Amino acid sequence: MRKPIVLGNWKLNGTPAASDALVASILAGMASLDAVDIGVCPPCVLIPQAVHQTTGTHLAVGAQNCSEFVTGAYTGEVSADMLREVGCRYVLVGHSERRALFGETNEIAARKVHIALKSGLTPVLCVGETLEERESGQMNTVVEGQIQAVLNEVGIELFARLVIAYEPIWAIGTGLTATPAQAQAMHAMIRGVLGAQSPAVARAVRIQYGGSVKADNAAQLFAEPDIDGGLIGGASLKAEDFLVICRAAADSSR
Ligand code: PGA
């Protein structure tokens, strides 16, 4: 049985005061949510205060990105080791906004996954297709390519230590959600790609769905057999909505 995982991706939102209030509200509402792993991914500069606030609790902290480099003359970068040392547990890798807006290729994402694993972080590998790729029937090939690049870099055994987030790009921040059946089909496809190399890893790896997950659609999505929780953008900025989504994930594991 895979334990569901729900992560909040705050993107470029939050101030020290707003982060403090949001984390406090989440902590106040998650007492009975042991059946789900829960984390928040604030902007980098807010991570230390979130770690301080959540120490000793069941709320984990993640980062939204890390450098593909370990150390050196890379102005503006933050390394996986630094994130780990300040108390992060997770790091998002290859989010579609990083790929589309900041030129992150499959190969860069693969190197980041590798470096995150070496530092002891759990990488959350984000994959997903554009609307054009879906409509032209390329979606499975695209997502398989995104997975394969990481398989080439780290191998199947280390994949057991990843979380995967399937996020169709056309559903991110748009209010359009993949139907449970569309999401389930892609999750099963991803598990199939991994299963061809290791059925055990395919069974163990957690695959989140992301893209306009809201309080009122989370339960149907999480009810699908291959959907193990969600990566939540907009709805993670309101504690009340985020907690409803976490509750839906907890209930789906019964
Ligand atoms: P959204 O974002 O929930 O606002 O669609 C999801 C994501 O980008 O991770």
Side-chain angles (χ1 to χ4, degrees):
M1 189 75 192
R2 295 179 296 271
K3 188 174 185 184
I5 172 168
V6 175
L7 297 174
N9 174 11
W10 294 5
K11 308 192 180 184
L12 188 52
N13 293 290
T15 61
S19 171
D20 196 80
L22 181 51
V23 168
S25 302
I26 296 170
L27 286 173
M30 59 183 274
S32 61
L33 291 173
D34 290 346
V36 54
D37 285 337
I38 305 174
V40 290
C41 303
C44 222
V45 72
L46 300 176
I47 286 173
Q49 74 171 56
V51 168
H52 181 71
Q53 215 178 343
T54 55
T55 299
T57 75
H58 171 56
L59 182 60
V61 177
Q64 299 171 18
N65 182 32
C66 69
S67 179
E68 64 178 296
F69 304 109
V70 175
T71 186
Y74 302 105
T75 301
E77 292 287 88
V78 173
S79 78
D81 283 345
M82 292 170 188
L83 295 169
R84 181 69 189 145
E85 283 202 23
V86 299
C88 279
R89 186 170 318 161
Y90 302 102
V91 60
L92 309 185
V93 175
H95 187 280
S96 63
E97 286 150 17
R98 303 284 331 157
R99 293 178 191 261
L101 304 173
F102 301 98
E104 225 168 273
T105 61
N106 280 346
E107 289 66 36
I108 293 174
R111 285 197 291 276
K112 289 185 175 188
V113 164
H114 208 168
I115 241 160
L117 285 171
K118 282 184 188 154
S119 73
L121 292 166
T122 297
V124 180
L125 173 64
C126 303
V127 298
E129 81 286 355
T130 63
L131 189 58
E132 299 75 60
E133 287 162 347
R134 174 163 284 264
E135 287 178 341
S136 64
Q138 297 296 299
M139 58 197 188
N140 286 1
T141 314
V142 168
V143 171
E144 190 171 347
Q146 292 167 338
I147 299 281
Q148 193 59 52
V150 179
L151 274 172
N152 294 346
E153 170 77 26
V154 308
I156 186 68
E157 293 309 325
L158 283 183
F159 241 86
R161 289 174 41 203
L162 265 65
V163 172
I164 299 172
Y166 168 58
E167 301 201 299
I169 294 166
W170 46 274
I172 295 178
T174 58
L176 289 175
T177 316
T179 64
Q182 284 173 323
Q184 165 59 27
M186 185 60 85
H187 284 227
M189 194 286 293
I190 293 169
R191 227 179 272 291
V193 169
L194 300 176
Q197 295 195 29
S198 166
V201 170
R203 272 194 303 276
V205 75
R206 294 184 290 181
I207 309 179
Q208 302 176 301
Y209 170 78
S212 297
V213 177
K214 307 285 178 212
D216 61 5
N217 62 19
Q220 297 105 285
L221 287 158
F222 300 164
E224 295 293 335
D226 286 299
I227 300 184
D228 309 309
L231 180 56
I232 318 302
S236 72
L237 297 172
K238 272 185 71 185
E240 201 181 304
D241 291 359
F242 187 62
L243 287 165
V244 170
I245 294 168
C246 293
R247 163 68 55 207
D251 289 349
S252 75
S253 71
R254 293 224 181 94

Short mmCIF file of all heavy atoms in Angstrom, two decimals, residues 9 11 95 97 167 171-174 210-214 231-235, ligand 1:
data_model
loop_
_atom_site.label_atom_id
_atom_site.label_comp_id
_atom_site.label_asym_id
_atom_site.label_seq_id
_atom_site.Cartn_x
_atom_site.Cartn_y
_atom_site.Cartn_z
N ASN A 9 2.77 23.63 -3.69
CA ASN A 9 3.78 24.37 -4.45
C ASN A 9 3.35 25.83 -4.45
O ASN A 9 2.45 26.22 -5.19
CB ASN A 9 3.84 23.80 -5.88
CG ASN A 9 4.75 24.61 -6.78
OD1 ASN A 9 5.50 25.48 -6.31
ND2 ASN A 9 4.71 24.34 -8.08
N LYS A 11 4.91 28.41 -5.44
CA LYS A 11 5.45 29.20 -6.56
C LYS A 11 5.99 30.55 -6.02
O LYS A 11 6.47 30.59 -4.90
CB LYS A 11 4.38 29.36 -7.65
CG LYS A 11 3.80 28.00 -8.05
CD LYS A 11 2.96 28.03 -9.29
CE LYS A 11 2.44 26.61 -9.57
NZ LYS A 11 1.68 26.52 -10.81
N HIS A 95 9.61 21.05 -12.94
CA HIS A 95 8.24 21.58 -13.04
C HIS A 95 8.06 22.21 -14.42
O HIS A 95 9.00 22.80 -14.97
CB HIS A 95 8.00 22.62 -11.93
CG HIS A 95 6.57 23.07 -11.87
ND1 HIS A 95 6.06 24.00 -12.74
CD2 HIS A 95 5.55 22.68 -11.07
CE1 HIS A 95 4.77 24.17 -12.47
NE2 HIS A 95 4.43 23.38 -11.46
N GLU A 97 6.83 24.86 -15.41
CA GLU A 97 7.19 26.28 -15.51
C GLU A 97 8.71 26.43 -15.62
O GLU A 97 9.21 27.33 -16.31
CB GLU A 97 6.62 27.05 -14.31
CG GLU A 97 5.11 27.22 -14.46
CD GLU A 97 4.32 27.29 -13.16
OE1 GLU A 97 4.92 27.52 -12.10
OE2 GLU A 97 3.09 27.10 -13.22
N GLU A 167 1.67 16.23 -14.21
CA GLU A 167 0.95 17.50 -14.29
C GLU A 167 0.76 17.90 -15.75
O GLU A 167 1.66 18.47 -16.37
CB GLU A 167 1.75 18.61 -13.59
CG GLU A 167 2.02 18.33 -12.13
CD GLU A 167 2.34 19.63 -11.39
OE1 GLU A 167 3.33 20.29 -11.74
OE2 GLU A 167 1.59 19.97 -10.48
N ALA A 171 -3.53 21.85 -17.67
CA ALA A 171 -4.38 21.87 -16.47
C ALA A 171 -3.79 22.74 -15.36
O ALA A 171 -4.45 22.98 -14.35
CB ALA A 171 -4.58 20.45 -15.96
N ILE A 172 -2.54 23.22 -15.54
CA ILE A 172 -1.89 23.95 -14.45
C ILE A 172 -2.35 25.40 -14.41
O ILE A 172 -2.16 26.14 -15.39
CB ILE A 172 -0.35 23.88 -14.59
CG1 ILE A 172 0.12 22.43 -14.42
CG2 ILE A 172 0.32 24.78 -13.56
CD1 ILE A 172 1.60 22.24 -14.58
N GLY A 173 -2.96 25.78 -13.31
CA GLY A 173 -3.37 27.16 -13.11
C GLY A 173 -4.49 27.61 -14.04
O GLY A 173 -4.80 28.80 -14.11
N THR A 174 -5.10 26.69 -14.75
CA THR A 174 -6.09 27.07 -15.75
C THR A 174 -7.52 26.81 -15.27
O THR A 174 -8.47 27.26 -15.91
CB THR A 174 -5.91 26.23 -17.03
OG1 THR A 174 -6.02 24.84 -16.67
CG2 THR A 174 -4.56 26.48 -17.67
N GLY A 210 -1.15 16.58 -10.52
CA GLY A 210 -1.18 18.02 -10.29
C GLY A 210 -1.79 18.73 -11.48
O GLY A 210 -1.69 18.27 -12.63
N GLY A 211 -2.41 19.86 -11.21
CA GLY A 211 -3.05 20.65 -12.27
C GLY A 211 -4.48 20.96 -11.86
O GLY A 211 -5.37 20.14 -12.06
N SER A 212 -4.65 22.15 -11.24
CA SER A 212 -5.98 22.61 -10.81
C SER A 212 -6.68 21.62 -9.88
O SER A 212 -7.90 21.45 -9.96
CB SER A 212 -6.86 22.94 -12.02
OG SER A 212 -6.28 24.02 -12.75
N VAL A 213 -5.92 20.96 -9.02
CA VAL A 213 -6.56 20.16 -7.96
C VAL A 213 -7.14 21.15 -6.95
O VAL A 213 -6.45 22.07 -6.50
CB VAL A 213 -5.57 19.21 -7.25
CG1 VAL A 213 -6.28 18.46 -6.12
CG2 VAL A 213 -4.95 18.25 -8.24
N LYS A 214 -8.41 20.97 -6.64
CA LYS A 214 -9.12 21.86 -5.71
C LYS A 214 -9.81 21.03 -4.65
O LYS A 214 -9.91 19.80 -4.77
CB LYS A 214 -10.18 22.68 -6.48
CG LYS A 214 -9.65 23.44 -7.69
CD LYS A 214 -8.85 24.67 -7.29
CE LYS A 214 -8.29 25.39 -8.51
NZ LYS A 214 -7.02 26.04 -8.29
N LEU A 231 0.07 17.32 -6.23
CA LEU A 231 0.94 18.49 -6.14
C LEU A 231 0.03 19.69 -6.41
O LEU A 231 -0.55 19.82 -7.50
CB LEU A 231 2.07 18.40 -7.18
CG LEU A 231 3.06 19.56 -7.21
CD1 LEU A 231 3.70 19.79 -5.85
CD2 LEU A 231 4.17 19.27 -8.24
N ILE A 232 -0.09 20.53 -5.41
CA ILE A 232 -1.14 21.54 -5.39
C ILE A 232 -0.54 22.93 -5.51
O ILE A 232 0.29 23.32 -4.67
CB ILE A 232 -1.95 21.46 -4.06
CG1 ILE A 232 -2.23 20.00 -3.65
CG2 ILE A 232 -3.23 22.29 -4.17
CD1 ILE A 232 -3.00 19.19 -4.65
N GLY A 233 -0.97 23.69 -6.50
CA GLY A 233 -0.49 25.06 -6.66
C GLY A 233 -1.42 26.03 -5.95
O GLY A 233 -1.39 26.19 -4.74
N GLY A 234 -2.29 26.67 -6.74
CA GLY A 234 -3.17 27.72 -6.22
C GLY A 234 -3.89 27.37 -4.92
O GLY A 234 -3.93 28.17 -3.99
N ALA A 235 -4.44 26.16 -4.87
CA ALA A 235 -5.25 25.78 -3.70
C ALA A 235 -4.39 25.53 -2.46
O ALA A 235 -4.94 25.36 -1.36
CB ALA A 235 -6.09 24.55 -4.02
P1 PGA B 1 -2.23 24.53 -9.85
O1 PGA B 1 -0.66 24.27 -9.96
O2 PGA B 1 -2.74 23.61 -8.76
O3 PGA B 1 -2.37 25.98 -9.48
O4 PGA B 1 -2.83 24.19 -11.17
C1 PGA B 1 -0.12 22.99 -9.84
C2 PGA B 1 1.39 23.04 -10.06
O5 PGA B 1 1.86 23.80 -10.89
O6 PGA B 1 2.15 22.32 -9.37
#
